[in-house]
Amino acid sequence: MTATGGDELVRFERVTCAYGGRPVLVNVDLVVSAGQFTGVVGPSGSGKTTLLHAITGSVRPVVGAIRRGPALRVAYVPQVETVNWSFPVTVGECVLMARSGRVWPWPSRAERADVAAVLARLGIDRLRRRHIRELSGGQQQRVFIARALLRRPQLLLLDEPTSGVDVKTRHEVLHLLDDLNADGLAILLTTHDLNGIAAHLPHLVCLNREIIGAGAPHEVLTTEVLERTYGARMEVLEHGGMPVIVDRYTSGNVVTLRRAAR
Amino acid sequence: MIDAFLRPFAFEFFRNGLAVATLAGALCGLVGVYVVLKGMSYIGHGLSHAIFGGFAASTLLGVNFFLGAGAWGFVSALMISGVTRRRLIGADAAIGVITTASFALGLALFAVFGSAGSGSFDAALFGSILGVGAHDVWAIGAVLLFAVAVIFLRYRALLFTAFDPDVAAASGVNIARIDALLMLVLAASILATMQVVGVTLIAATLVIPATVARMLTHSFSRMLVLATGIGAVSGFVGMNLSYHLDVQSGPTIVLVGAALFAFVFAITGPRGLRRTEGLDEQPEPVPAVVRQAPP
């Protein structure tokens, strides 16, 4: 690892990652800066999760370099769909996993205070003794964000944070992330949800193994970029100053427009 | 009635056997929590069969049982763990090849070299307290102490790895080292327990206490304590029944565990059973060929 410059937290330089010889990311150049709020969109298998794993260091590039800021603290929130909800952990036990370096099993007084503070900040302090399966979708997502925040990260990575949740929960999560970003935390998330999430973020990256486009939503969410990213035709409309993406598919002689829900 | 219950305590072999069975039950209950939660039940079953090969070889060659079979078991455990983590081929297929080959080798060695170890052969398969001496009590006590020390000192890393290995790796936990440590504890536990419970039934002593404990609690720390206690009770009661019913110790210990399962199920009903649904589900890992510790 080599340090980045200025307020850069992570810099990808011509990075290629591969699983067993099969490239998943190709020639990726990317900079994540302090305080940035970025969404990564792309179809399934486009390398979004691999990009996050490359930032954490779990995946190593086969070509190129990933440069990180000195003593960079990164925290990762997995997809809730990958969580084993039958695992016997309470909210408190789950959040405390972030402090895996301490030898003693029980939390120190300072750790108890930290856990209480982060749970209170996310509004789930009364749930500390509850099992993780007994929570609503929004509360479950907050538990994993709380675990990440306990690491006091400079960069928070989230893999599909709103996948499989209802609209209310999606709004809750977005508001929460917005508040955290306003406090100076850099956030990078992946999402399939172009209209519900991506269009609301200040910065977007369109990825399909390589970066197709990067910038503000109105710069990136264009018919051409989306077609290159998803390999399918989409129309971009505007509503209240926000881009709205709709599927466009042809059936016989009839061209139909349909909202791209997900 | 009380006299009948106390009568076997007059025999030293029974006192030793009871101590070993109770300690073995506690040990398997404790380690079994990780076996169940990490979806390693089949590995535990396979590993006990693999160790049988080492047991046969060390018995016939006159090598110290704990050293010979222990080394054999640890190497088998690492091979199983490595193949499972890397997913080079299907984990079940790999475990099947490694463990059944080792088990078959043990059977072949006994067949070729005759009846010298036939008593040990039966004991290894089904468990027996005959021949259990004070040194066995000390040996299993040492393994239990080792397991408790590992779990105590690496509690957080073991928990994080069992629950969420990818995020644990991303958070700086050395997953490969933690898995190897767990495999070492598991191999030592099976080795120490084999004589009392028998190869064919060890998996049950690993799985049943943890499953019953999970039906009773939502907390990981409480599950560790409960599973250890349930295992110890199964060992203690099972060994007594073994004497009084004149049945091998392995089956009676496992049947007591199964009876506890039925009892807890009757109390907790489907709610308890629901807690164990998908208990051993593991997320698809990042392929190990590209995984490394964070810089």
Side-chain angles (χ1 to χ4, degrees), chain B:
Chain B
M1 172 110 178
I2 293 175
D3 282 350
F5 173 72
L6 294 176
R7 193 177 308 127
F9 285 84
F11 305 114
E12 188 184 359
F13 84 91
F14 181 81
R15 290 197 302 273
N16 287 334
L18 190 65
V20 166
T22 307
L23 291 173
L27 176 63
C28 286
L30 180 66
V31 177
V33 170
Y34 295 94
V35 170
V36 168
L37 294 179
K38 283 176 69 71
M40 291 163 50
S41 303
Y42 189 44
I43 294 180
H45 184 71
L47 193 54
S48 61
H49 284 69
I51 286 177
F52 180 77
F55 165 78
S58 52
T59 300
L60 294 169
L61 294 174
V63 178
N64 180 282
F65 163 71
F66 285 104
L67 289 179
W72 191 298
F74 185 51
V75 170
S76 301
L78 288 182
M79 286 168 68
I80 291 168
S81 175
V83 169
T84 305
R85 195 152 34 82
R86 288 165 192 264
R87 306 206 167 194
L88 298 175
I89 56 173
D92 52 349
I95 293 166
V97 170
I98 294 168
T99 61
T100 50
S102 185
F103 186 69
L105 178 65
L107 292 174
L109 285 173
F110 275 123
V112 170
F113 292 100
S115 58
S118 59
S120 309
F121 176 83
D122 284 345
L125 284 183
F126 305 111
S128 168
I129 57 166
L130 293 175
V132 169
H135 63 282
D136 293 306
V137 180
W138 285 109
I140 204 159
V143 174
L144 179 60
L145 208 61
F146 170 65
V148 169
V150 167
I151 288 170
F152 187 83
L153 296 173
R154 303 300 293 148
Y155 176 87
R156 295 189 181 199
L158 282 164
L159 170 60
F160 206 172
T161 306
F163 178 57
D164 203 342
D166 280 350
V167 182
S171 305
V173 177
N174 189 329
I175 300 293
R177 190 179 299 166
I178 291 295
D179 279 348
L181 197 59
L182 188 59
M183 280 296 167
L184 180 63
V185 172
L186 179 60
S189 304
I190 289 173
L191 190 67
T193 312
M194 201 165 85
Q195 197 170 0
V196 180
V197 183
V199 165
T200 49
L201 294 170
I202 280 181
T205 60
L206 288 166
V207 172
I208 291 175
T211 306
V212 175
R214 180 63 188 96
M215 290 164 73
L216 292 169
T217 184
H218 273 321
S219 163
F220 180 77
S221 52
R222 278 199 291 271
M223 184 176 169
L224 279 177
V225 174
L226 279 171
T228 307
I230 290 165
V233 167
S234 301
F236 183 87
V237 176
M239 182 55 77
N240 276 287
L241 286 177
S242 168
Y243 177 87
H244 292 289
L245 301 176
D246 195 20
V247 176
Q248 285 144 322
S249 51
T252 50
I253 290 170
V254 171
L255 285 173
V256 170
L260 281 173
F261 174 86
F263 177 70
V264 170
F265 176 66
I267 292 173
T268 59
R271 180 173 53 86
L273 210 55
R274 262 201 304 277
R275 286 179 173 175
T276 65
E277 282 174 9
L279 195 60
D280 56 354
E281 279 176 7
Q282 288 285 302
E284 282 290 312
V286 178
V289 285
V290 292
R291 177 184 278 163
Q292 65 168 11

Side-chain angles (χ1 to χ4, degrees), chain A residues 68-150:
Chain A
R68 300 176 181 83
L72 176 68
R73 294 188 305 278
V74 181
Y76 176 67
V77 179
Q79 288 186 45
V80 289
E81 285 156 347
T82 67
V83 173
N84 177 0
W85 296 107
S86 293
F87 198 97
V89 280
T90 60
V91 169
E93 286 174 326
C94 183
V95 172
L96 199 60
M97 284 181 201
R99 299 282 172 86
S100 56
R102 184 176 144 91
V103 169
W104 307 119
W106 53 83
S108 66
R109 187 174 297 176
E111 283 178 332
R112 273 199 296 270
D114 287 348
V115 169
V118 76
L119 291 179
R121 181 181 183 186
L122 300 189
I124 51 174
D125 43 333
R126 286 178 298 108
L127 307 175
R128 194 169 60 86
R129 294 180 191 279
R130 295 267 290 276
H131 184 255
I132 52 171
R133 192 162 63 176
E134 295 172 351
L135 311 177
S136 69
Q139 290 169 337
Q140 287 174 337
Q141 191 60 260
R142 281 167 190 262
V143 169
F144 287 92
I145 292 174
R147 185 177 71 178
L149 292 181
L150 200 64

Side-chain angles (χ1 to χ4, degrees), chain A residues 5-237:
Chain A
D7 63 351
E8 289 179 7
L9 300 177
V10 180
R11 172 180 282 273
F12 280 53
E13 294 176 351
R14 311 294 288 171
V15 167
T16 294
C17 295
Y19 292 149
R22 184 175 58 87
V24 183
L25 291 177
V26 179
N27 285 336
V28 170
D29 286 312
L30 177 72
V31 172
V32 182
S33 301
Q36 200 174 356
F37 195 161
T38 303
V40 180
V41 297
S44 299
S46 60
K48 300 190 294 297
T49 301
T50 303
L51 184 80
L52 301 187
H53 283 302
I55 292 174
T56 65
S58 301
V59 169
R60 140 186 37 192
V62 290
V63 177
I66 300 172
R67 304 188 190 284
R68 300 176 181 83
L72 176 68
R73 294 188 305 278
V74 181
Y76 176 67
V77 179
Q79 288 186 45
V80 289
E81 285 156 347
T82 67
V83 173
N84 177 0
W85 296 107
S86 293
F87 198 97
V89 280
T90 60
V91 169
E93 286 174 326
C94 183
V95 172
L96 199 60
M97 284 181 201
R99 299 282 172 86
S100 56
R102 184 176 144 91
V103 169
W104 307 119
W106 53 83
S108 66
R109 187 174 297 176
E111 283 178 332
R112 273 199 296 270
D114 287 348
V115 169
V118 76
L119 291 179
R121 181 181 183 186
L122 300 189
I124 51 174
D125 43 333
R126 286 178 298 108
L127 307 175
R128 194 169 60 86
R129 294 180 191 279
R130 295 267 290 276
H131 184 255
I132 52 171
R133 192 162 63 176
E134 295 172 351
L135 311 177
S136 69
Q139 290 169 337
Q140 287 174 337
Q141 191 60 260
R142 281 167 190 262
V143 169
F144 287 92
I145 292 174
R147 185 177 71 178
L149 292 181
L150 200 64
R151 291 176 59 80
R152 298 199 181 97
Q154 296 156 287
L155 172 59
L156 180 63
L157 308 174
L158 302 102
D159 198 1
E160 303 278 357
T162 58
S163 173
V165 301
D166 57 28
V167 176
K168 179 171 173 285
T169 303
R170 191 177 71 206
H171 288 174
E172 280 178 20
V173 172
L174 265 183
H175 281 303
L176 172 62
L177 295 179
D178 203 33
D179 287 347
L180 294 172
N181 180 245
D183 290 345
L185 178 64
I187 296 175
L188 182 76
L189 61 81
T190 66
T191 183
H192 278 292
D193 191 347
L194 291 172
N195 289 313
I197 302 284
H200 297 270
L201 301 181
H203 189 78
L204 279 185
V205 173
C206 289
L207 183 73
N208 191 350
R209 295 200 307 155
E210 56 186 350
I211 291 182
I212 310 294
H218 70 271
E219 297 169 345
V220 175
L221 297 179
T222 65
T223 302
E224 185 206 350
V225 171
L226 290 172
E227 186 168 356
R228 285 179 59 205
T229 304
Y230 288 92
R233 188 82 180 152
M234 296 182 187
E235 295 290 333
V236 181
L237 309 177

